[in-house]
Amino acid sequence: MRDHALLHVNGVPCQVRGHEAFMMLADWLRKRRGLPGTKIVCAEGDCGACTVLRAREVPGEASPPRFDAMNSCIALVAQMDGSHVVTVEGMQVGEDLAPAQEAMRRCHGSQCGFCTPGFVMAISGMLEQHGPGPVHARCARNHLTGNLCRCTGYAPIVEAACTVRASERHAVGPRYATTSAIAAARAAQAESMHLEHEGLRFFAPVTLREACTFAAKHPDLRVVGASTDLGVPINKGRPMPRAMLSLHLVPEVHESRLTRTGVHVGARVSLSRLRHLCEDAVPEFSRFLDLFASPQIKNVATLVGNIATGSPIGDTLPFLLVAGAQVHVASRPGGQGPLQKRAIPMTELYRGYRQLALQPGEIITHVTFDRTPPQQTLRLLKVSQRKDLDISTVSAAYAVTWQGKRGRGPRQIVEARVAYGGVAATPIRMPEVERALVGEFSAARAEEVAQLIGRSIRPLSDVRGTAAYRSVLAANLFRQFAGEVLHG
Ligand SMILES: Cc1cc2nc3c(=O)[nH]c(=O)nc-3n(C[C@H](O)[C@H](O)[C@H](O)COP(=O)(O)OP(=O)(O)OC[C@H]3O[C@@H](n4cnc5c(N)ncnc54)[C@H](O)[C@@H]3O)c2cc1C
Ligand code: FES
Ligand code: FES
């Protein structure tokens, strides 16, 4: 059993144990590694000042890891076990500025400079994923949605991102994920990790059986995914969970694949990877994920974390409710005997505000959901206070199955599934609305259904919107969907 996390920072191997393992990565880089180029501004994943590049060895995967941008302010050092972390200090090539730094200088993309390292790292992360061709402004803007600058203005920064010369791009992968670094990380990953400091415990087992045994023995346990939810309250002063369990060393939870009729998503699969996987099988969900948080969040955050947080405004939940999703859990009651596994239909998962139908000691291992069938129209809509990097005020998922092929005249709906987030204590399906939709679909029917939606929900008021606003929004989202179907 290892008593330390093993990570590489700018190519240097680091064994981290004790107090340091429970520090936030950004703090640790600045205060313990002498790397103050990584800045901290918001400390909640919103501004990108703390962006670093990270590649993680995935147990059982032979291909070299890919470097992605992530926020270092809301991740514990312990979670970086098996990772290669590159900070802005590690980007320099010999005596020269890094290509993204040089482009920022050339395009006057920096004034006070406080946000600049974060932008440099976000641009470098984009280049790691981009082919040798030109970077278009739209792509650059998408990759920079997680970074804020208050003085320069974004035009020169986007210009910098688009004009890093292909000949200057030095891929980070070959420089830092060297054969020896990969071998060291893989060797360490064969062993479970148990970190302890002043009553805090962080356990990362190599098998699901060990994970479930630990969960059975620690009723106060929190499973940690990427901590993009968990890390924020900790930074705001809430106590850190006393017992944390990470599944990053368990091979099967990294599995993501298409099956004949559906999609299988392991508990440690990032939303970026999921977006890629669903591009053809569930294109609407893939598109919708573009509006989820920022690249820095999506490169690490998991679908399972979104589900288990149980927020009524979790963006993926209305989709999962209409896509026949099943949440697969494992446990080992009493910490003895064989593993017990069961699947909970997504429609039965939420029992109340952030209350899940999980038994003590149950861990979510993976989620499955359906591909979009050819006769179905799937539409996912979200309204938030700003377009990018904001969770929804109200979100909606509509999946309607049509009779026959599109022809002239009104079409018949044979099955409808409708789900909303942000209109109740949990995300909800709307059976009455679904029944009302079956049959001929016309503008008059659509208006009746929109009014029915407005009448049937009783949302709460909060900082994101009043109850009245949410009711109007819910009805209007349906009107938008109906308009697209009738006239699109
Ligand atoms: C800046 C920012 C923007 C965001 N934008 C959005 C957005 O647009 N839309 C949105 O919906 N959310 C958003 N979020 C919230 C968050 O990113 C998502 O909920 C994300 O999917 C959480 O995944 P995670 O792996 O980080 O979960 P974690 O934070 O690690 O965990 C979240 C919860 O899930 C539990 N959990 C994790 N894995 C398991 C498991 N295997 N078994 C049982 N329980 C488990 C944890 O114990 C915890 O309670 C945002 C967050 C930030 C910081
Ligand atoms: S400091 Fe703002 S995202 Fe980390
Ligand atoms: S240059 Fe000052 S915040 Fe961006």
Side-chain angles (χ1 to χ4, degrees):
M1 181 85 71
R2 270 186 297 142
D3 69 347
H4 61 269
L6 177 71
L7 60 149
H8 287 74
V9 178
N10 297 336
V12 178
C14 310
Q15 288 191 5
V16 191
R17 46 173 70 75
H19 168 61
E20 293 194 17
F22 293 89
M23 289 176 77
M24 289 299 172
L25 176 62
D27 281 329
W28 180 75
L29 289 170
R30 291 171 58 81
K31 294 177 186 161
R32 301 299 169 105
R33 301 298 308 173
L35 297 168
T38 300
K39 305 297 179 206
I40 303 173
V41 179
C42 68
E44 53 182 39
D46 264 321
C47 75
C50 63
T51 304
V52 296
L53 298 188
R54 193 278 289 259
R56 161 167 269 155
E57 298 298 330
V58 173
E61 226 174 79
S63 52
R66 190 181 80 171
F67 279 85
D68 288 320
M70 68 168 276
N71 296 315
S72 58
C73 63
I74 47 176
L76 294 174
V77 177
Q79 290 170 268
M80 294 300 110
D81 179 51
S83 298
H84 310 263
V85 175
V86 178
T87 69
V88 71
E89 290 88 349
M91 295 305 293
Q92 201 172 330
V93 185
E95 292 299 305
D96 299 332
L97 289 178
Q101 286 170 318
E102 175 54 31
M104 286 285 271
R105 189 199 59 75
R106 200 173 50 234
C107 299
H108 308 288
S110 178
Q111 286 190 27
C112 82
F114 208 76
C115 68
T116 310
F119 275 102
V120 164
M121 297 313 282
I123 293 171
S124 304
M126 174 190 76
L127 296 174
E128 287 300 301
Q129 296 172 22
H130 205 277
V135 175
H136 296 294
R138 186 158 176 224
C139 167
R141 278 195 215 100
N142 272 340
H143 278 271
L144 297 178
T145 50
N147 293 73
L148 297 179
C149 171
R150 341 176 258 187
C151 20
T152 306
Y154 295 98
I157 299 175
V158 170
E159 192 192 340
C162 295
T163 56
V164 180
R165 294 186 186 111
S167 59
E168 289 175 348
R169 294 179 199 162
H170 294 271
V172 172
R175 283 171 65 198
Y176 288 115
T178 57
T179 316
S180 62
I182 291 176
R186 288 190 180 155
Q189 294 207 327
E191 228 184 315
S192 300
M193 176 180 88
H194 194 180
L195 309 173
E196 266 187 280
H197 175 68
E198 293 183 351
L200 296 174
R201 310 180 83 181
F202 191 104
F203 184 46
V206 292
T207 65
L208 198 53
R209 193 181 164 86
E210 273 183 280
C212 290
T213 309
F214 186 79
K217 292 184 178 161
H218 294 85
D220 57 342
L221 174 94
R222 290 305 284 271
V223 184
V224 186
S227 80
T228 60
D229 256 314
L230 278 177
V232 176
I234 294 173
N235 276 354
K236 299 282 167 209
R238 294 245 194 100
M240 197 175 287
R242 308 301 292 169
M244 290 177 269
L245 173 73
S246 171
L247 301 176
H248 72 271
L249 298 178
V250 177
E252 56 262 48
V253 298
H254 292 275
E255 204 180 330
S256 64
R257 63 188 155 85
L258 299 177
T259 61
R260 199 175 53 79
T261 57
V263 182
H264 173 118
V265 190
R268 290 298 306 214
V269 174
S270 71
L271 291 169
S272 294
R273 210 159 128 201
L274 179 61
R275 189 208 168 283
H276 186 62
L277 181 73
C278 288
E279 248 162 20
D280 294 326
V282 196
E284 176 67 0
F285 183 47
S286 217
R287 183 203 61 79
F288 185 69
L289 285 177
D290 286 342
L291 295 178
F292 191 112
S294 60
Q296 285 94 326
I297 297 283
K298 273 184 297 215
N299 286 339
V300 292
T302 61
L303 180 69
V304 165
N306 202 234
I307 294 170
T309 298
S311 163
I313 49 173
D315 275 349
T316 65
L317 311 181
F319 161 69
L320 294 169
L321 281 170
V322 301
Q326 303 265 335
V327 176
H328 300 259
V329 300
S331 64
R332 209 168 168 227
Q336 288 169 342
L339 276 184
Q340 294 193 4
K341 297 186 179 179
R342 67 183 181 117
I344 308 171
M346 189 69 189
T347 46
E348 294 167 23
L349 186 68
Y350 298 112
R351 295 280 163 86
Y353 181 71
R354 291 184 184 261
Q355 283 175 2
L356 273 66
L358 293 186
Q359 299 299 323
E362 278 186 331
I363 294 171
I364 303 176
T365 54
H366 64 283
V367 180
T368 49
F369 56 83
D370 298 338
R371 290 173 183 236
T372 310
Q375 291 298 93
Q376 188 185 82
T377 300
L378 173 69
R379 190 73 170 105
L380 307 174
L381 298 171
K382 158 177 174 175
V383 177
S384 48
Q385 291 183 343
R386 56 179 177 170
K387 178 169 165 271
D388 291 308
L389 197 48
D390 200 4
I391 200 165
S392 53
T393 304
V394 172
S395 60
Y398 309 104
V400 297
T401 306
W402 303 98
Q403 188 174 54
K405 291 215 170 91
R406 181 185 274 274
R408 287 173 164 232
R411 297 175 80 192
Q412 298 280 334
I413 293 176
V414 289
E415 196 207 359
R417 295 181 186 178
V418 174
Y420 275 88
V423 299
T426 66
I428 52 165
R429 277 276 292 268
M430 303 187 75
E432 197 188 345
V433 171
E434 293 174 356
R435 281 193 297 275
L437 271 169
V438 173
E440 189 177 301
F441 193 61
S442 62
R445 171 68 64 88
E447 185 50 34
E448 280 167 22
V449 171
Q451 291 182 20
L452 175 62
I453 290 171
R455 281 198 308 277
S456 18
I457 51 173
R458 298 271 171 278
L460 293 174
S461 295
D462 65 15
V463 286
R464 290 178 186 274
T466 61
Y469 170 63
R470 285 168 193 264
S471 290
V472 172
L473 214 51
N476 281 352
L477 284 177
F478 182 77
R479 289 188 181 100
Q480 176 181 338
F481 166 68
E484 288 172 3
V485 168
L486 290 164
H487 312 296

